Amino acid sequence: GAVVSQHPSRVICKSGTSVKIECRSLDFQATTMFWYRQFPKQSLMLMATSNEGSKATYEQGVEKDKFLINHASLTLSTLTVTSAHPEDSSFYICSAKSRLAGGVETQYFGPGTRLLVL
Amino acid sequence: GENVEQHPSTLSVQEGDSAVIKCTYSDSASNYFPWYKQELGKRPQLIIDIRSNVGEKKDQRIAVTLNKTAKHFSLHITETQPEDSAVYFCAATKEVTGGGNKLTFGTGTQLKVEL
């Protein structure tokens, strides 16, 4: 249980175009999902917290108009990188909170999306 | 906000030896500390976690210890195997029922287990 998928796994786009990344919780409902960005050999940096049915909460320094987040259902959150530029090239990973038996909450990560902007 | 420091950044051990990775956190309110293993190009996988109501937790060859007073926690891997080679991240958060509970990650430790 607690499987999180992401699509696409890899995308190459031209500078100036927009790219949408989907994050799905496959076997559980996630009221909260998180979007991270990871540069090579670096840690995961939280970009935003995505809450179902409400606006996302962005971390300091992350442009909400640049990185659009939509959490339309309890199993799907999307991240759209608008007008992508080469500096947006990175590994984007989502995670979703799952409440296990006993009421314990744990975060499970998606497989990540590698974005390359030419 | 929370700040998590992790050491060492790289760790090389011989197969069969033990490996220890240490993390410190700044927010005394943090009460949940997971450890993730990430292989190259793959997703972080939760390997063990600990909550502040216990001081130690063990799962086969992996154990985690927590010192709330000193605000540090450690990952211990015994009888290391080549497949343990990966990047390990510690994290911390204050769990609040119904809250965001966003994780703050350490900078990662590249563990290499040599034959």
Side-chain angles (χ1 to χ4, degrees), chain A residues 15-91:
Chain A
S15 185
T17 60
S18 294
V19 175
K20 180 185 283 189
I21 303 170
E22 293 185 348
C23 178
R24 293 182 185 271
S25 55
L26 298 184
D27 53 359
F28 64 100
Q29 294 183 331
T31 55
T32 302
M33 291 183 174
F34 302 90
W35 286 97
Y36 296 84
R37 183 172 179 175
Q38 186 177 35
F39 290 108
K41 297 187 178 182
Q42 292 191 21
S43 189
L44 292 91
M45 300 302 298
L46 181 65
M47 300 174 65
T49 302
S50 171
N51 299 295
E52 187 268 337
S54 65
K55 291 183 179 180
T57 304
Y58 289 82
E59 294 300 300
Q60 190 173 9
V62 178
E63 300 176 54
K64 61 180 181 181
D65 295 329
K66 170 79 173 174
F67 299 99
L68 300 178
I69 292 173
N70 184 24
H71 196 152
S73 75
L74 287 171
T75 58
L76 173 64
S77 176
T78 60
L79 168 69
T80 301
V81 183
T82 62
S83 187
H85 291 285
E87 57 266 30
D88 297 323
S89 299
S90 188
F91 193 48

